[in-house]
Amino acid sequence: MSQRHTVLRSLHDVGLAAWFGGSLMGAVGLNGAAKEQGADWRQSARIASAGWALWAPVGAVAIGTHLAGSGGLLGANAARVLTQQGVAASALAKTALTGAALAASVYGRVLGKKIELASSESPEDAEKAERLPVDTGQAERHLSYVQWAVPALTCGLIVLNALHGEQQRPAQQLYGMLRRARTLAPYVMSCHHRHTSH
């Protein structure tokens, strides 16, 4: 109960903070500025694409950092997941949300790359865009949904992280372990009864 995992927690929290903050800033600030400053669709798309392209490597590092910390903490807390009531459910919910946020981030990058190629003035990019034709209107609509989904999903992860923090209080750990023991007690007693009756 008293173990400390400062490095893992730091990786988990800093990575998640950058993932959430970067995606929210992009959806609100970058996309909004691109629409205001662009003279037409193509110019707005180029401004937004350039900003997201610059952020992409940092975002990838943030996601990787968070996943490293999250995986390490899950391994370090494996005993609590098994023995404390409620921890397994919140860990499963967190894993599902992380997967959804990761999928949305990757899908958003793929859509963004398609729009970047379609809006570029470079002959090389135009040639690539012709090889991968895309309905830019539909791609932009999907991208706008995805770019709002990422901060929403990562915000959910922050809330679940707060719940995990509460579950790690000594009183909560003891309460959860007692609840798990009470849940398993009838099963253990029936197994014991069957064993002694033979």
Side-chain angles (χ1 to χ4, degrees):
M1 285 187 186
S2 61
Q3 282 184 316
R4 296 177 63 170
H5 305 286
T6 306
V7 173
L8 290 175
R9 287 185 195 285
S10 298
L11 291 172
H12 174 283
D13 292 353
V14 171
L16 182 56
W19 193 3
F20 168 71
S23 62
L24 185 62
M25 167 58 190
V28 177
L30 177 55
N31 290 351
K35 283 178 184 174
E36 282 187 11
Q37 298 301 314
D40 54 24
W41 170 84
R42 191 175 293 276
Q43 191 176 31
S44 294
R46 279 204 305 272
I47 294 169
S49 295
W52 282 108
L54 287 170
W55 168 253
V58 180
V61 170
I63 292 169
T65 300
H66 170 68
L67 293 177
S70 186
L73 285 175
L74 185 61
N77 290 302
R80 283 184 54 242
V81 171
L82 294 173
T83 58
Q84 186 179 346
Q85 187 85 5
V87 175
S90 60
L92 186 61
K94 198 171 176 184
T95 301
L97 267 186
T98 302
L102 186 59
S105 297
V106 171
Y107 183 51
R109 186 65 195 127
V110 169
L111 288 173
K113 193 65 182 174
K114 288 181 178 180
I115 292 171
E116 182 184 335
L117 291 173
S119 63
S120 175
E121 292 180 336
S122 161
E124 187 181 330
D125 287 346
E127 188 181 322
K128 288 179 184 175
E130 282 179 14
R131 288 202 302 268
L132 300 165
V134 61
D135 181 340
T136 52
Q138 185 183 55
E140 277 212 313
R141 281 194 302 276
H142 287 181
L143 185 58
S144 68
Y145 298 145
V146 167
Q147 286 176 342
W148 279 107
V150 175
L153 290 165
T154 48
C155 181
L157 285 172
I158 291 170
V159 172
L160 282 175
N161 192 43
L163 173 63
H164 272 200
E166 290 299 311
Q167 288 175 331
Q168 287 177 358
R169 291 173 180 268
Q172 286 292 312
Q173 289 193 46
L174 181 59
Y175 176 66
M177 288 174 184
L178 289 173
R179 282 183 62 200
R180 174 56 60 86
R182 193 168 57 195
T183 303
L184 294 176
Y187 173 75
V188 173
M189 290 299 292
S190 67
C191 287
H192 177 71
H193 178 70
R194 282 201 303 270
H195 179 71
T196 55
S197 63
H198 284 299

